Amino acid sequence: MDRAIQRNSLEGSGCVEPSIYDGTPGLVDTWGLDLVEGRDFGPDDFVANGKPVVAIITRALAQHLYPGQRALGQNMYDGDRFIRVVGIVQTLVRPELRGDGTNNDSILLPQAPDGAGALYVLRSAPQDRQGVMARASAALREINPSRLIKPERLRTYSEIRSSYFQRDTTMIGLLVASVLGLLFVTALGIAGLANFWVQQRTRAIGIRRAIGATRTDIRRYFQAENFLIVGGGVLLGMLLAVVLNLLLMSRYELPRLPLWYLPVGALALWGLGQLSVLAPAVRASRVPPVVAMRSA
């Protein structure tokens, strides 16, 4: 969950909205967090029905709350209580990323289970995960036979991560398939147009061969022509992309298009154009000089 947190300081009351995680003893070690300053939670820090008065925060949050100061030992205020910073971890990412530079603004609070349900996180070697989950379920049922453990909630972190990003992965796959389809259609169009040029210029090609042009000269001619045509389209497309991005930024507050996208896209289209025209150019280079005499 997210909650507004203020610093309690004579220099001001800077306010941030970090993500808050709570858990029982062993939380820092189980998550593999790097405690760079201060201490871990002690047995007396955990409360079941009260509100924790100590916290461990990330280095990024410490810098945002107390820029240029030592955050360890400082007091924060969350609206109804003061919370003292007893430790600082290197990093802990939010559950949902943001674009405002606060992705690592997180707080850990010591909290004992106080409800009807509890979420357990177990850390083990990859090859032991299934066995550890089975033994943990058996141990919990032995402690309380009436405990309800939903089988669908017994998941590894890899499964949770895959499920979380499934929609994004599917969307990326659809976009990649769309882009590949457009590139394929573009390549077919270029190849078809180049073949048409070869058919229309068969006599001219034969004349050039008759006056001394080599196969390499003919092939280079068609490739250079394609390079210029595709280059004109690429430059126009880059200009329209920049204009459209500026328009969307002003209307919908979208981020600026990274400039490196433009040269990468231009090189990709130029390369596609050269590959598409290669086969027709090779066929044109094989036109014999006698064709010009036959056409005459």
Side-chain angles (χ1 to χ4, degrees), residues 79-272:
D80 60 356
R81 56 176 167 163
F82 288 105
I83 305 174
R84 182 165 53 89
V85 179
V86 298
I88 298 176
V89 294
Q90 182 65 34
T91 182
L92 178 57
V93 181
R94 288 178 179 273
E96 295 183 0
L97 300 182
R98 303 182 180 182
D100 55 0
T102 63
N103 288 335
N104 279 289
D105 284 3
S106 301
I107 294 179
L108 288 171
L109 296 178
Q111 184 74 59
D114 58 354
L119 175 65
Y120 291 89
V121 179
L122 306 176
R123 187 176 185 181
S124 69
Q127 65 274 15
D128 299 332
R129 288 172 182 168
Q130 298 300 328
V132 167
M133 285 195 296
R135 291 193 296 272
S137 299
L140 290 174
R141 289 193 176 95
E142 184 178 352
I143 296 174
N144 183 3
S146 62
R147 186 189 302 270
L148 297 178
I149 300 178
K150 296 181 179 180
E152 64 272 14
R153 300 297 298 273
L154 297 174
R155 297 187 295 172
T156 65
Y157 179 74
S158 298
E159 294 171 343
I160 295 174
R161 181 174 56 188
S162 177
S163 176
Y164 181 82
F165 288 107
Q166 183 177 5
R167 180 178 299 179
D168 295 333
T169 303
T170 303
M171 182 62 66
I172 292 173
L174 291 175
L175 290 176
V176 170
S178 300
V179 170
L180 292 178
L182 290 173
L183 291 177
F184 179 71
V185 172
T186 301
L188 288 180
I190 294 175
L193 186 59
N195 279 316
F196 176 76
W197 291 339
V198 172
Q199 293 175 0
Q200 294 296 312
R201 302 176 187 177
T202 300
R203 183 166 180 263
I205 295 171
I207 294 174
R208 294 194 62 189
R209 290 295 311 279
I211 62 178
T214 65
R215 290 185 175 183
T216 302
D217 294 332
I218 300 299
R219 187 172 64 251
R220 287 178 178 174
Y221 169 78
F222 279 96
Q223 288 182 317
E225 185 179 54
N226 173 267
F227 184 84
L228 293 176
I229 294 175
V230 173
V234 166
L235 293 177
L236 179 60
M238 292 170 63
L239 178 61
L240 291 177
V242 173
V243 172
L244 180 61
N245 180 241
L246 293 176
L247 179 62
L248 293 175
M249 288 173 58
S250 63
R251 297 292 182 88
Y252 301 103
E253 298 184 359
L254 293 180
R256 182 182 299 275
L257 178 69
L259 295 180
W260 64 271
Y261 280 16
L262 301 179
V264 170
L267 290 176
L269 290 175
W270 266 316
L272 178 65

Side-chain angles (χ1 to χ4, degrees), residues 35 37-40 55-58 72-73 84-89:
L35 188 65
E37 291 186 50
R39 64 173 178 85
D40 196 353
I56 295 176
I57 66 176
T58 59
L72 197 63
R84 182 165 53 89
V85 179
V86 298
I88 298 176
V89 294

